[in-house]
Structures are given as structure tokens and as C-alpha cells.
Amino acid sequence: MRSQELIAVPVTTSAPASISVSDQPLRITRRQLWLDVGIPFLATRVALLLVGWFSRYFPPSPDYPLQDAVARGWHFSPYRLLDIWGRWDTGWYISIVRDGYMLRGDLAQQQSNVSFFPLYPYLVRALLWPVPVQWQSDGVVLLAGVILSNLFLLGGLIFLYLLTVELTQTSDVAQRAVLYLLLFPTAFFFSAFYTDAAFLFLSVAALYAAQRRSWAWAALTAALLGITRPLGVLIIPVLAWLYLSSIEWRINKIRADFLWLLLTPLPFLLYLAWIGQATGDFLAPVSAQQAFFRDFAWPWTTVFAPVNANL
């Protein structure tokens, strides 16, 4: 019978004393990956489509800012099962896909797409490259982004599964980790025209690579994470901590592979330099957050004195 082995993860298992524990890998087959990751992914996406379909029987939100979209019953596409995945910041990302970054006045006062990081929208643009320009309606752009988001989500779930197996030495915990993530109330954002799925994929992939001491791959995925969302750069101290832990915090054990981690912030810094040339402000993505009522604050400020709180 043909083997279905996908990957072998070294784990601690019950074994005779004469057999090395590291020689007893846990076999993750394609069938097991399909049952533990593929089926929950498909089942939850179908369930969300059903929710989106039946939502037509509920009144639209009176607070949605684009009343013309509310009046016609859709925003980006007349096909409801596609249109449900595009709301709010989707419009900003689509503007980057179509026209790149544009200034609309004072960054701190006027909302603009400079607030949003480039990796996801430019990947959508690359995905649309074979499509003739006259066919690139908002609905087609939305479809490309939704496909990309779901591919990122599926990849992120696979890496989460493998990472959890690596850490817990059992597939049962990994199965539940995937299921609980998919069942989380706001997990529908992973399939929407947002950066959440890309952030999930790159962050978990970086941690999985670090766990396996593949520092070049960890640095590459972390570097891309830094131009996905503003908080992506916070993966850098995490990877540094994992590297130093792997050498037991002994500085004399640092090797050349640590240099990969030093290159991790490079795409983020290049992005700031590029956007700074265009806007005159090298911290433009941070400054632009103020127009969206976001600013730096102490953690407890959000709890005890939230701004624009919707009780």
C-alpha cells in the first residue's frame, strides 16, 4: 500500500529503553491532515456562507456609513455570497490594489489608505495580473482577495497543526487547536478581504520554522509579517528569544544563522523609507492612524477610559 506520510515530527513516545526516543517520529498522514484540518476548514466556511445567505432576512445596520450600498443591498458585488466578505476596510485595500497609495490631505486629520500595509493588497494585485483590466470590477478584485485570504487561512491552519504537534507531542491537541480557532466568534475575518489570514499564516509559519531551528525561513516569514500589519514587527523579539533559548542563552554559542534574524526588519524599514519619500513623513503609516481615532496609550487606558466606546 502506498504510504501517505506527509511529515515526521519527533515526539516523546513510550518506547523500549534500547530505542532512541528521537527515532520514533509521529507520522502525520495526508488523510489525518485532511480530517483534522481540511474538513473543519470546509465545514466552517460553508456554515459562514449559510449565515451570510440567511442574513438577508435581517435589517441592515443603520450605522453603516455607505447608505447607497445599504439601499441597493450590496457593496462590492451583487452576488451576495461573495459580497458578504467585503466590508469597511475592504474598500481601503481595494483602493491600494487599484491605484496604490494616495494622500488625501493631512494624514492626522484626513483618512487615507496610507494607514494600511502593502503585502496583502499587492499580492491581490499580482493575483489579478492575468485578468484583463476591463474585467477587473470591484467584484472580481474582491473575489481574488477572498481566494487569497482562504489560501492563507488554510496554510495557517496547517502550520498551526504541525506546530502544535511539535510542541505537545500529540495530534489530539493540534486537532482541537485548529477547531477552536475556526469556531472563534470573529474567525470569519480570516476569509474576508482583510489581512488577518495572511497575518495568521506568516506568524505561525515563523514560529514553526523557529521551533525547527530553520532560522532563514523564520526570518523570511517574519520579514513579510512586518509589512502585513503594523504589529507584525513584534515577531522580531519573539524570534530572538527563541534563538537564544535554543542555545541556552550562552552568547558564545551564537552562530552565523543569527544573522538571518538581523535582516528581519529590513522590508519594514524599506517600506517606511519608500512611503516617507512619497509623503514626506517616514512614520506616515503611524501618523495616519490618528485619522482613524487610533493612538498610542497605556494598556489600562483602553479598559478604564476608552475613546468612542460603543456600550
Side-chain angles (χ1 to χ4, degrees):
M1 187 171 95
R2 188 177 63 178
S3 171
Q4 296 185 21
E5 178 184 343
L6 177 64
I7 188 168
V9 182
V11 298
T12 303
T13 59
S14 299
S18 59
I19 299 178
S20 171
V21 169
S22 61
D23 292 336
Q24 302 297 313
L26 178 64
R27 305 291 181 177
I28 304 298
T29 65
R30 292 187 181 92
R31 182 176 182 275
Q32 186 176 1
L33 206 58
W34 165 251
L35 292 174
D36 292 350
V37 178
I39 290 180
F41 166 78
L42 291 176
T44 53
R45 298 314 95 182
V46 170
L48 288 172
L49 287 174
L50 290 174
V51 170
W53 178 260
F54 284 107
S55 67
R56 66 193 305 169
Y57 299 106
F58 292 85
S61 170
D63 298 326
Y64 197 67
L66 301 178
Q67 289 301 306
D68 56 335
V70 174
R72 67 172 177 261
W74 55 272
H75 192 165
F76 298 102
S77 171
Y79 300 100
R80 185 174 190 82
L81 294 185
L82 173 61
D83 191 59
I84 60 175
W85 302 113
R87 290 295 182 273
W88 299 97
D89 290 344
T90 296
W92 291 112
Y93 285 115
I94 287 182
S95 72
I96 298 173
V97 173
R98 291 195 176 282
D99 305 309
Y101 287 98
M102 298 179 296
L103 286 177
R104 303 176 62 186
D106 185 356
L107 286 175
Q109 302 296 326
Q110 185 67 39
Q111 293 182 353
S112 72
N113 60 15
V114 177
S115 302
F116 302 91
F117 277 40
L119 181 70
Y120 178 79
Y122 278 98
L123 285 177
V124 175
R125 178 184 285 189
L127 198 61
L128 289 168
W129 178 77
V131 180
V133 176
Q134 61 271 22
W135 293 1
Q136 294 184 19
S137 64
D138 284 349
V140 171
V141 177
L142 178 62
L143 176 62
V146 170
I147 291 173
L148 182 64
S149 291
N150 280 282
L151 289 175
F152 272 130
L153 173 57
L154 184 58
L157 293 173
I158 292 173
F159 275 118
L160 175 63
Y161 185 89
L162 296 177
L163 176 62
T164 309
V165 168
E166 187 100 2
L167 293 173
T168 66
Q169 307 172 3
T170 172
S171 61
D172 292 338
V173 177
Q175 181 188 33
R176 292 197 297 274
V178 168
L179 184 61
Y180 296 161
L181 177 63
L182 288 172
L183 293 178
F184 195 78
T186 57
F188 63 88
F189 279 110
F190 289 128
S191 290
F193 200 107
Y194 283 93
T195 58
D196 298 74
F199 192 88
L200 171 71
F201 171 79
L202 292 170
S203 57
V204 180
L207 294 175
Y208 178 70
Q211 179 67 24
R212 298 183 67 85
R213 308 296 183 258
S214 300
W215 300 112
W217 285 109
L220 174 61
T221 50
L224 295 176
L225 189 67
I227 53 174
T228 302
R229 291 178 69 91
L231 296 180
V233 294
L234 296 182
I235 194 72
I236 297 174
V238 175
L239 293 182
W241 181 284
L242 291 174
Y243 184 92
L244 294 173
S245 297
S246 71
I247 60 172
E248 300 175 341
W249 297 87
R250 298 175 63 178
I251 304 301
N252 62 326
K253 287 189 174 183
I254 293 178
R255 298 293 180 261
D257 53 5
F258 186 73
L259 295 176
W260 288 110
L261 301 184
L262 298 180
L263 297 175
T264 300
L266 185 59
F268 175 72
L269 296 175
L270 290 175
Y271 167 61
L272 292 184
W274 173 69
I275 205 73
Q277 289 290 330
T279 64
D281 182 1
F282 288 96
L283 294 178
V286 177
S287 304
Q289 299 295 329
Q290 298 178 39
F292 290 87
F293 310 105
R294 303 188 188 107
D295 208 343
F296 289 108
W298 294 107
W300 53 83
T301 303
T302 303
V303 177
F304 296 108
V307 177
N308 296 327
N310 188 337
L311 298 179

